[in-house]
Amino acid sequence: MSPSDTEMASSTDSSSTVEEEVPRLYERYQSVESDTERREIPLEMGKIDGRRHAEIYAALEDE
């Protein structure tokens, strides 16, 4: 497992918050050298955004 695989796994860990994950992914995006990784990081950000929206909708349903 490469260091980037470890970082990817930690960036999708459900125990971390969106506020922690987004800056971490942005920093990774700035430092990557391969186009493949540059394409993968926005996909991860999209998943985070989807989780954020799901949390918002769940909170609205509880009100």
Side-chain angles (χ1 to χ4, degrees):
M1 182 181 275
S2 72
S4 65
D5 291 339
T6 304
E7 289 174 15
M8 286 175 60
S10 65
S11 69
T12 57
D13 183 1
S14 62
S15 66
S16 60
T17 66
V18 171
E19 291 78 18
E20 295 169 336
E21 293 177 66
V22 171
R24 195 174 320 141
L25 283 171
Y26 182 76
E27 287 174 16
R28 274 187 43 219
Y29 185 82
Q30 295 300 315
S31 65
V32 297
E33 296 179 9
S34 76
D35 289 337
T36 302
E37 257 191 303
R38 284 199 187 267
R39 285 189 292 269
E40 290 173 1
I41 292 172
L43 294 174
E44 287 184 58
M45 287 184 174
K47 290 177 187 176
I48 292 169
D49 214 25
R51 280 197 352 245
R52 178 188 290 165
H53 289 151
E55 291 169 4
I56 291 169
Y57 291 131
L60 289 173
E61 287 178 3
D62 290 342
E63 287 186 2

